[in-house]
Amino acid sequence: MTEDDASHRIIADLLAARTGQQLTESRRWRVSTALSGLFRELGIENVDQLACLLERPGDFQLATRVVEALLNHETYFFRDHAYFDVLEKSVIPELADRRSEDRRLRIWSAGCSTGQEVLSLAMIFAQDTARWADWDIQILGTDISAKAIAAAQRARYSQFEIQRGIAVTQMITFFAEDGGGWQATDSIRKFARYAQHSVLDYPPMPSDFDLVLCRNVLLYFDTTTRRMAFDRLASAVRNDGLLMLGAGETVIGQTDRFEPAECGSGLYRPTTLAPRTALRVA
Ligand SMILES: C[S@@+](CC[C@H](N)C(=O)[O-])C[C@H]1O[C@@H](n2cnc3c(N)ncnc32)[C@H](O)[C@@H]1O
């Protein structure tokens, strides 16, 4: 193992310990690219020097900044548009039928990045105000990244971000132009709540969510960590609720806590086979 390899290992172990994300050999190129801004700012020359600094006891802040820089926050409005069509046309109406008595829906976007997924869901409700007028609807967005959560809470998007995935009518209906950026208005922000949280921790509201989205988060977990994440997600979703994963993700061969739902398109329902673990509320 060269010095460079050992340094990469230190950085990869830090990321895995804090987030569950694996920096496999094929993603090693990401390290220097993702850390270039931090290197410039702190005058660090290379990964070897960074690894030495990380080995100093008690430098928690540097470790946090490294982890933040290595996380991949790629997201955009209505990502995998067909999935949102299924949510809008089948899943949400069906859930609403089942909850017609208490008129309450709880949705969790786990690994929500900078909030586009949460606000895409919010737009589904906001574009039919009459239908949802007397409903109690909350969409909780969580992410391990404090920076991503802060951006989601600001709900202000650049011209580049606002153009990704959203129709012009939605853009002008739900966002207000504001000095070169686009601020989400209360018409959609009122549905959203945010919190910093790891999907590997106990869920924020156990067994309470009608729908959980965890899309493009578990891809870089190893098998054991991914299984643990599915256990946590299974503890969060109601017995008749649903989990939605990203395109190209599946539960098949990964966990026995979910099985494909008939409605398809990345949707899974909790199995009744596996016993529910007793929960300690975080
Ligand atoms: C690629 S983005 C996906 C965002 C959104 N779900 C989507 O599909 O557009 C992955 C997000 O997962 C977050 N993440 C990574 N590990 C996590 C963990 N253990 N718990 C919660 N969020 C995590 C990252 O910070 C990042 O914002």
Side-chain angles (χ1 to χ4, degrees), residues 211-281:
L211 174 65
V212 175
L213 279 73
C214 187
R215 305 191 318 142
N216 308 300
V217 180
L218 311 181
L219 286 169
Y220 299 110
F221 284 179
D222 64 24
T223 314
T224 311
T225 313
R226 197 177 299 127
R227 188 173 306 119
M228 185 188 192
F230 280 125
D231 283 354
R232 299 298 193 226
L233 295 168
S235 311
V237 71
R238 289 176 69 162
N239 287 333
D240 62 348
L242 287 167
L243 167 71
M244 177 174 262
L245 298 179
E249 294 176 298
T250 182
V251 302
I252 297 167
Q254 314 281 328
T255 178
D256 58 1
R257 303 295 303 269
F258 290 97
E259 61 193 7
E262 297 70 27
C263 35
S265 284
L267 284 157
Y268 302 89
R269 54 185 167 83
T271 53
T272 45
L273 308 171
R276 299 246 155 168
T277 41
L279 280 172
R280 184 167 55 78
V281 181

Side-chain angles (χ1 to χ4, degrees), residues 19 21 72-75 79 111 117 143 198-199 215-216:
T19 71
Q21 302 285 326
N72 167 13
H73 298 307
E74 166 69 0
T75 189
R79 183 174 192 172
E117 188 168 271
D143 200 286
S198 171
V199 78
R215 305 191 318 142
N216 308 300

Side-chain angles (χ1 to χ4, degrees), residues 35-261:
L35 294 176
S36 60
L38 196 63
F39 280 8
R40 254 194 320 277
E41 186 189 328
L42 302 179
I44 296 172
E45 298 205 341
N46 51 39
V47 286
D48 288 342
Q49 194 185 348
L50 175 63
C52 287
L53 293 171
L54 287 170
E55 292 279 81
R56 289 184 315 195
D59 204 341
F60 196 75
Q61 222 189 357
L62 177 64
T64 301
R65 292 191 68 184
V66 169
V67 170
E68 282 280 359
L70 289 172
L71 286 169
N72 167 13
H73 298 307
E74 166 69 0
T75 189
Y76 45 91
F77 292 102
F78 298 98
R79 183 174 192 172
D80 306 319
H81 215 291
Y83 281 32
F84 279 91
D85 282 348
V86 172
L87 289 179
E88 181 176 1
K89 295 190 179 118
S90 323
V91 172
I92 291 174
E94 200 183 313
L95 284 172
D97 279 350
R98 283 190 226 151
R99 308 287 183 257
S100 58
E101 243 165 63
D102 54 1
R103 295 183 168 255
R104 176 183 183 275
L105 283 176
R106 292 290 178 269
I107 301 177
W108 178 23
S109 161
C112 68
S113 188
T114 43
Q116 285 89 329
E117 188 168 271
V118 170
L119 294 182
S120 302
L121 289 162
M123 280 183 254
I124 293 177
F125 296 103
Q127 60 209 6
D128 197 353
T129 40
R131 164 85 174 86
W132 302 107
D134 53 351
W135 279 72
D136 169 14
I137 296 162
Q138 267 181 33
I139 307 162
L140 175 67
T142 60
D143 200 286
I144 200 160
S145 160
K147 271 174 103 170
I149 287 299
Q153 278 164 334
R154 277 194 300 278
R156 188 173 184 282
Y157 297 94
S158 66
Q159 192 65 40
F160 172 71
E161 289 168 321
I162 200 76
Q163 278 169 349
R164 297 184 74 199
I166 200 171
V168 175
T169 46
Q170 290 168 317
M171 183 171 109
I172 54 182
T173 307
F174 300 118
F175 295 81
E177 196 175 6
D178 139 33
W182 291 80
Q183 179 68 55
T185 60
D186 281 347
S187 60
I188 50 175
R189 289 182 85 181
K190 68 180 180 193
F191 295 105
R193 307 276 181 281
Y194 292 102
Q196 189 184 5
H197 174 269
S198 171
V199 78
L200 299 171
D201 288 340
Y202 288 97
M205 296 193 295
S207 306
D208 197 37
F209 290 101
D210 302 295
L211 174 65
V212 175
L213 279 73
C214 187
R215 305 191 318 142
N216 308 300
V217 180
L218 311 181
L219 286 169
Y220 299 110
F221 284 179
D222 64 24
T223 314
T224 311
T225 313
R226 197 177 299 127
R227 188 173 306 119
M228 185 188 192
F230 280 125
D231 283 354
R232 299 298 193 226
L233 295 168
S235 311
V237 71
R238 289 176 69 162
N239 287 333
D240 62 348
L242 287 167
L243 167 71
M244 177 174 262
L245 298 179
E249 294 176 298
T250 182
V251 302
I252 297 167
Q254 314 281 328
T255 178
D256 58 1
R257 303 295 303 269
F258 290 97
E259 61 193 7

